[in-house]
Amino acid sequence: MNGDRRPAAACPVCRARFRCAVACSRCGADLTALMLLTAHAYRLRQQARHLLREGDCSRALPCAEKAQRLQATPEGHLLHWLCAATCGQNPKLSAFDSLARDAFESGSYDRNVFPEGSTDE
């Protein structure tokens, strides 16, 4: 599997899908640390978006990179790609990069909607 497309977060004990709850729905393990990492990555992506809108790509790129290291998501990958391209870096174009760019350019990428259908604002 490609490093940019990791599976969704999972319980570290039983590998059940993470459902944004403090306890695993399958085994009851405490997922507070996972929730904190997810929230931190979310805030870093929000900060990167804000900085990118303000035209400060030199500060946006590290935020996007750190968010992807904490919790890799397809939307985060697109954000990282946009930050890198805006900073004048030449991000490699993989098949996923091309799909992400096409989704953004066609308007089908909506940064305010998570895949589960909830909004981030």
Side-chain angles (χ1 to χ4, degrees):
M1 181 175 282
N2 177 326
D4 293 328
R5 296 189 68 191
R6 295 181 195 150
C11 172
V13 176
C14 70
R15 306 305 301 160
R17 184 171 173 243
F18 177 54
R19 301 188 188 281
C20 298
V22 293
C24 175
S25 60
R26 184 184 297 163
C27 71
D30 181 10
L31 302 177
T32 304
L34 184 58
M35 288 189 75
L36 291 172
L37 283 174
T38 300
H40 188 58
Y42 170 80
R43 284 191 302 275
L44 284 166
R45 282 195 223 33
Q46 289 295 88
Q47 184 177 5
R49 287 183 189 109
H50 173 76
L51 291 166
L52 198 55
R53 281 191 296 268
E54 297 293 317
D56 193 350
C57 66
S58 63
R59 288 179 49 210
L61 183 57
C63 291
E65 288 172 343
K66 186 172 182 181
Q68 277 298 91
R69 283 193 307 272
L70 289 175
Q71 181 194 34
T73 65
E75 294 82 7
H77 181 77
L78 174 59
L79 179 63
H80 178 258
W81 187 90
L82 288 171
C83 290
T86 303
C87 285
Q89 294 183 10
N90 188 10
K92 66 176 183 169
L93 286 177
S94 67
F96 182 71
D97 290 326
S98 298
L99 290 171
R101 186 183 61 224
D102 292 346
F104 181 76
E105 290 172 353
S106 72
S108 62
Y109 169 74
D110 184 351
R111 70 170 187 80
N112 294 319
V113 178
F114 289 104
E116 297 82 25
S118 61
T119 61
D120 72 351
E121 297 180 308

